[in-house]
Amino acid sequence: MNYDTNKLAELLFPDVTGTVAELEEKYPERNLKEGARVTRFAPSPTGYLHIGGLFGALVDVLTARATGGVAYLRVEDTDKKREIDDGVSAIINGFNSFSIDFDEGVTGFNTEKGDYGPYTQSQRAEIYHIVAKELVQKGLAYPCFCTADELSQIRSEQEKGDALIWGYFGKWAKCRDLSLEEIEKNIQEGKPYVLRFRSDGQEDKRISFDDIIRGKIEMPENIIDEVLLKSDGIPTYHFAHACDDHFMRTTHVIRGEEWISSVPKHIALFKACGFKVPKYAHTPQVMKIDEEDGTKRKLSKRKDPEAAVSYFVEEGFPKESLIEYLLTLLNSNFEDWRRANPKADAFSFPFNLKKMSPSGCLFDLVKLNDVSKNVISVMNAEDVYSYIAEWAKKYDEDFFNVFTADPEKSKAMVNIDRESPKPRKDIAKWSEVKEYFSYMFDEFYAPAFELPENIQKEDAKAILESYLKVYSTEDDKDVWFSKIKDLCEPLGFTPNVKEYKKNPELFKGHVGDVSTVIRLAVTSRKNTPDLCSIMSLLGKEKIEARINNVLKSL
Ligand code: GLU
């Protein structure tokens, strides 16, 4: 171009007086120890938090924690089309539910913390305009007045021709060579324009960068004159990324793999602006196996309820479980670490980006359930009680009222087979508790006595009748069990399981069958936690009534 670029800069940005040098001073390099990483999670406020978002944010926070760095939350709200009212709250609530704590950034509706803000892109117009103005001054940006029609015309010509790349570049970039007079005239006429990057990339050149997760990646250099500011002055993602990650002093840009193809553009922009290019790590997608056709696919907001983080809150998965499970997906050495540090806070795991697999990771609800059962099994009864009450209060009021009516009884109930070296692993989420313990509450108990095939009616009757005669609420576990053993022989069963296995033809069954009949009569279940504890919580009246009811039905 053969005009004074300063003149153009004044023409385009008459009100911008700040300078990049001032911004550099206002947002200085962070004073962190050697090796500390500054990461960010940068969602668009689309009104819900995707499980992939939680996954990504976890990577950001763990990376910062493991290096003594900073993780911050930036809201990228420049794409008004994708935005919904109060979309930020859904994201913040999602993070709060899972104790994802950012050191800096947006903390709520119109609130934030940290010295590198504002952390919401729509409040950063001044910064983008200062940087854009300097790019114009340096001859690295220009206004483009092409209309939507003209752009689609270019596109269709490119599609017809044999161009390898489509976009605004080279001979297609008509506005690149407008004279200052032409630009002035267009502006006087009120023609809308965008600000474009003046790329000096060459079609035959390649660039490479080291992706921390994927290693060296080589790609053609960027040659496109990308839009920096849209006609309303709002930056594109690409330009905002360069400005924000520079002035927020991000050292490691960790983001979804869908951005890999944009890296050449981003490197070109960072360089043009005179900014140091950050390190990149592109994380894999969170995938699942499709129930219908067995293929691996992205979790979809439309098809998969578990795509939204709120699903896990509503289902009552403890936050610890989901975090624990995501960590197993993030680093394959997490499980070894967990075995060596069974009680450690998951966030103290020495996470390593380099150990992340670049291929899509499979989100498997069945595995999450298993992990969650483990996590819940080692919680103490007091915590389990509070978690259940908190969940039920919000999602199942009937259950809440019954469950919290007698807190001591409910705590004792959830403590059965808990707080022991080998706790029972049977509850994966709080929404299961009502059904799981339904026999503990008359309000939810629906008796359904069904004998196992190997036990005859008369025998069941005899077992229950004999048991009622010896049953006492005073019995501790040992007495309780010895009474059941004592029932066996007179009724043709054996107290000795081994003996039964040796000579099954000699007996009607063994002590396990006898206790099963009692268990069924009292709970309508073949499997429960420790029956003696259940019976002592239910109390004499209920036990006798339930057994008598079954006897009547036999
Ligand atoms: N706002 C972008 C998105 O939601 C974030 C990409 C990035 O982390 O740089 O996809």
Side-chain angles (χ1 to χ4, degrees):
M1 79 242 91
N2 50 8
Y3 51 79
D4 179 354
T5 49
N6 286 316
K7 265 197 183 159
L8 177 59
E10 285 314 317
L11 180 65
L12 299 182
F13 300 99
D15 301 328
V16 173
T17 51
T19 64
V20 170
E22 284 163 9
L23 293 176
E24 295 287 355
E25 220 171 287
K26 182 167 178 199
Y27 303 110
E29 288 277 358
R30 289 162 186 270
N31 195 3
L32 295 169
K33 70 173 203 238
E34 176 89 25
R37 295 176 170 183
V38 180
T39 63
R40 86 295 193 274
F41 186 68
S44 300
T46 48
Y48 98 127
L49 183 58
H50 190 279
I51 186 73
L54 184 63
F55 180 83
L58 200 51
V59 178
D60 294 318
V61 169
L62 290 171
T63 300
R65 291 274 165 92
T67 58
V70 173
Y72 67 88
L73 179 66
R74 177 170 77 223
V75 169
E76 305 212 322
D77 58 348
T78 56
D79 186 353
K80 294 287 172 201
K81 270 179 266 149
R82 287 176 63 199
E83 208 171 311
I84 66 149
D85 283 348
D86 210 14
V88 177
S89 300
I91 290 169
I92 304 265
N93 291 344
F95 287 136
N96 286 345
S97 305
F98 291 95
S99 296
I100 302 282
D101 252 339
F102 291 97
D103 306 293
E104 261 177 34
V106 177
T107 52
F109 186 64
N110 272 338
T111 56
E112 60 177 35
K113 61 176 179 188
D115 297 332
Y116 289 81
Y119 294 89
T120 298
Q121 287 184 333
S122 58
Q123 294 165 21
R124 298 175 61 78
E126 193 190 342
I127 296 172
Y128 306 126
H129 292 178
I130 290 173
V131 180
K133 184 171 185 179
E134 287 209 13
L135 284 177
V136 175
Q137 284 165 346
K138 290 196 272 182
L140 293 173
Y142 65 88
C144 165
F145 299 90
C146 287
T147 61
D149 280 350
E150 284 170 305
L151 293 175
S152 55
Q153 178 68 27
I154 293 175
R155 175 69 183 245
S156 60
E157 279 174 41
Q158 287 176 336
E159 280 174 21
K160 268 186 261 151
D162 53 4
L164 288 177
I165 305 169
W166 298 338
Y168 205 81
F169 69 99
K171 68 170 179 178
W172 310 102
K174 290 191 227 157
C175 294
R176 202 176 148 109
D177 298 319
L178 292 180
S179 66
L180 189 56
E181 291 69 37
E182 286 168 305
I183 295 173
E184 276 172 335
K185 186 168 167 277
N186 283 340
I187 289 181
Q188 266 161 20
E189 285 170 8
K191 281 194 188 163
Y193 64 90
V194 300
L195 189 74
R196 280 190 189 273
F197 176 49
R198 186 187 295 277
S199 165
D200 65 355
Q202 290 170 25
E203 219 159 326
D204 54 354
K205 270 207 189 153
R206 296 178 74 76
I207 58 138
S208 74
F209 70 99
D210 278 309
D211 186 287
I212 303 180
I213 298 171
R214 288 152 208 275
K216 187 168 170 183
I217 297 181
E218 211 191 273
M219 277 190 278
E221 187 170 72
N222 173 65
I223 57 166
I224 306 284
D225 284 0
E226 191 57 53
V227 175
L228 304 177
L229 296 177
K230 295 177 249 184
S231 55
D232 51 7
I234 290 179
T236 55
Y237 166 74
H238 310 295
F239 186 49
H241 158 47
C243 297
D244 293 345
D245 283 311
H246 176 69
F247 287 115
M248 294 181 181
R249 305 295 175 180
T250 309
T251 62
H252 288 66
V253 170
I254 304 169
R255 59 184 180 187
E257 64 184 6
E258 66 276 19
W259 294 108
I260 293 178
S261 60
S262 304
V263 174
K265 214 171 269 176
H266 298 159
I267 291 180
L269 286 180
F270 271 88
K271 289 191 170 156
C273 296
F275 303 155
K276 185 175 168 211
V277 181
K279 297 250 185 326
Y280 285 103
H282 290 91
T283 54
Q285 301 264 16
V286 179
M287 318 277 280
K288 75 176 276 180
I289 302 282
D290 189 279
E291 286 101 3
E292 271 156 38
D293 60 14
T295 55
K296 208 167 153 179
R297 62 166 173 79
K298 259 174 35 181
L299 273 171
S300 116
K301 182 176 172 183
R302 200 170 41 82
K303 286 197 221 157
D304 311 308
E306 74 270 30
V309 164
S310 52
Y311 166 83
F312 302 93
V313 180
E314 285 154 23
E315 288 287 299
F317 281 100
K319 61 184 178 197
E320 294 86 346
S321 300
L322 188 59
I323 299 293
E324 189 85 2
Y325 175 57
L326 289 178
L327 279 164
T328 65
L329 296 182
L330 285 179
N331 264 184
S332 55
N333 58 327
F334 175 74
E335 281 161 272
D336 288 341
W337 177 83
R338 179 47 93 204
R339 269 188 287 278
N341 304 276
K343 295 232 148 59
D345 175 5
F347 285 93
S348 66
F349 171 61
F351 175 73
N352 187 343
L353 270 177
K354 284 209 164 90
K355 290 201 178 123
M356 227 175 142
S357 154
S359 52
C361 50
L362 269 189
F363 191 89
D364 181 348
L365 273 175
V366 177
K367 282 206 188 116
L368 168 65
N369 271 276
D370 288 344
V371 168
S372 194
K373 283 179 183 171
N374 272 326
V375 168
I376 292 179
S377 76
V378 296
M379 289 180 177
N380 66 36
E382 194 69 39
D383 287 349
V384 171
Y385 174 82
S386 313
Y387 271 136
I388 297 171
E390 191 188 339
W391 176 86
K393 189 169 186 182
K394 208 155 165 207
Y395 298 103
D396 189 343
E397 215 185 310
D398 281 352
F399 180 52
F400 174 78
N401 291 332
V402 174
F403 182 71
T404 57
D406 182 349
E408 290 321 306
K409 182 183 153 195
S410 291
K411 279 179 205 169
M413 172 185 93
V414 298
N415 201 23
I416 301 176
D417 294 349
R418 182 177 298 283
E419 297 185 16
S420 73
K422 275 202 151 191
R424 197 176 170 93
K425 300 176 180 177
D426 43 13
I427 297 169
K429 49 186 182 179
W430 310 130
S431 55
E432 290 172 355
V433 174
K434 177 164 135 188
E435 167 60 19
Y436 183 72
F437 278 125
S438 63
Y439 51 82
M440 294 299 293
F441 304 101
D442 284 343
E443 292 85 341
F444 308 123
Y445 182 51
F449 185 82
E450 212 177 298
L451 270 179
E453 272 174 21
N454 59 331
I455 297 175
Q456 303 306 309
K457 244 188 196 184
E458 306 72 57
D459 293 324
K461 219 168 161 177
I463 291 170
L464 293 175
E465 276 165 355
S466 321
Y467 185 63
L468 272 185
K469 286 186 203 136
V470 296
Y471 160 69
S472 154
T473 44
E474 308 293 301
D475 299 344
D476 65 15
K477 268 186 206 180
D478 292 336
V479 177
W480 181 88
F481 193 50
S482 68
K483 280 186 177 174
I484 295 192
K485 281 206 264 188
D486 292 345
L487 292 183
C488 292
E489 271 168 7
L491 299 173
F493 290 77
T494 167
N496 187 331
V497 180
K498 269 196 203 141
E499 198 175 303
Y500 177 78
K501 287 200 171 138
K502 245 192 268 159
N503 299 304
E505 67 289 348
L506 297 183
F507 307 98
K508 290 178 176 169
H510 58 74
V511 62
D513 300 311
V514 173
S515 61
T516 295
V517 171
I518 300 171
R519 190 185 309 272
L520 279 166
V522 173
T523 66
S524 298
R525 301 277 170 87
K526 268 196 224 155
N527 270 308
T528 65
D530 178 57
L531 185 57
C532 172
S533 312
I534 292 174
M535 288 176 62
S536 84
L537 282 174
L538 281 172
K540 192 174 168 70
E541 216 177 294
K542 278 195 185 125
I543 299 294
E544 288 181 347
R546 287 185 189 180
I547 294 181
N548 280 320
N549 275 338
V550 170
L551 279 172
K552 255 185 253 155
S553 76
L554 283 172

